[in-house]
Amino acid sequence: MLVDEQVAIFLHILAHHMKNRVIQFEFGRSRKTISRYFNIVAKAVVRLQYELFKIPEPILEDSTDERWKWFKGCLGVLDGTHIKAQVPAQIKGRYQNRKGDITTNVLGVCSPNGEFIFVFPGWEGSITNSRVLRDAISRPNGFKVPQGNYYLVDAGYPESPQECFNMRHSSARNVIERAFGILKMRWAILRSPSYYPIRTQNRYILACCLLHNLIMRDNVDDPIEAEFDAIDSPNPQMGINPISTMEPSNAWSAFQENMANEMFNAFTAHRTNR
């Protein structure tokens, strides 16, 4: 089979989530052949991760981006998403999330422009996002955060004086939700229970994220992105000595407080000058 046809079969399955017995009639190939080449292409795409994952770049001191200029040194945003899975009956309990669906919990990290920096699929749906993150950080070749840099996460301040920070934090964090939304809109295979074993599913989830980055870089006018925005309108390591824990510290608490005060002072000054 020519490489063009192998890739066409792979993309067709990702985009439409059809069973192999349907694909075999579309391409005139046996189910065994379809299955074999789907896995071959998936493995090939995953091997491109060091080419297709975005290398994180911190927000610079002179940034003028209204959404990001407050978060100096920030590398991006991280969050988890659930992908519906199909697993043997004896382990369904482990994959049942708090909504009752059978899913796998996927950690995604993306840059301010929505390209994926790191993706970590495979955990059961019943596992919390924080546990998935801890595991990703603890692995030798896992998720690394260089000292002095940080990512925005789904956690806000409970104190009312921090409302200004929360508003800007939420606005910046929206990029990861948008990335996941576009990802699932483009690839139907991520929107319904998988026909494949968990190991294969983990592989094609990663492949979908890598293809997402490739499309963002090479397709300026992406119709899927435009469609998502219309509906929605009303993630190589860098640095050395990476952070290896998730515990709060006085230094980071002070950093957050100073950032919140800077935002609020700028906000009130702007209102006074109007």
Side-chain angles (χ1 to χ4, degrees), residues 100-111:
D101 296 324
I102 306 302
T103 64
T104 179
N105 192 344
V106 180
L107 170 67
V109 183
C110 76
S111 65

Side-chain angles (χ1 to χ4, degrees), residues 78-79 105 107-109 118 120 123 127-139 143 145 151 153 244-246:
L78 67 87
D79 202 357
N105 192 344
L107 170 67
V109 183
F118 179 83
F120 186 46
W123 270 97
I127 302 301
T128 62
N129 287 352
S130 59
R131 184 174 173 187
V132 177
L133 178 56
R134 287 180 188 276
D135 184 39
I137 289 175
S138 67
R139 296 183 177 228
F143 180 51
V145 185
Y151 288 89
V153 298
S244 58
T245 66
M246 295 170 53

Side-chain angles (χ1 to χ4, degrees), residues 128-170:
T128 62
N129 287 352
S130 59
R131 184 174 173 187
V132 177
L133 178 56
R134 287 180 188 276
D135 184 39
I137 289 175
S138 67
R139 296 183 177 228
N141 295 316
F143 180 51
K144 307 301 178 188
V145 185
Q147 292 285 350
N149 296 116
Y150 61 96
Y151 288 89
L152 300 184
V153 298
D154 188 11
Y157 290 104
E159 301 90 353
S160 56
Q162 304 298 336
E163 288 178 352
C164 184
F165 177 90
N166 289 343
M167 178 182 67
R168 297 188 186 279
H169 179 276
S170 177

Side-chain angles (χ1 to χ4, degrees), residues 264-274:
F264 187 70
N265 291 338
F267 174 72
T268 54
H270 176 71
R271 292 186 63 183
T272 302
N273 294 331
R274 290 178 65 179

Side-chain angles (χ1 to χ4, degrees), residues 92-117:
K92 276 190 174 182
R94 288 159 42 193
Y95 284 85
Q96 187 171 24
N97 64 24
R98 57 187 176 83
K99 295 182 179 180
D101 296 324
I102 306 302
T103 64
T104 179
N105 192 344
V106 180
L107 170 67
V109 183
C110 76
S111 65
N113 75 337
E115 285 189 55
F116 285 103
I117 293 170

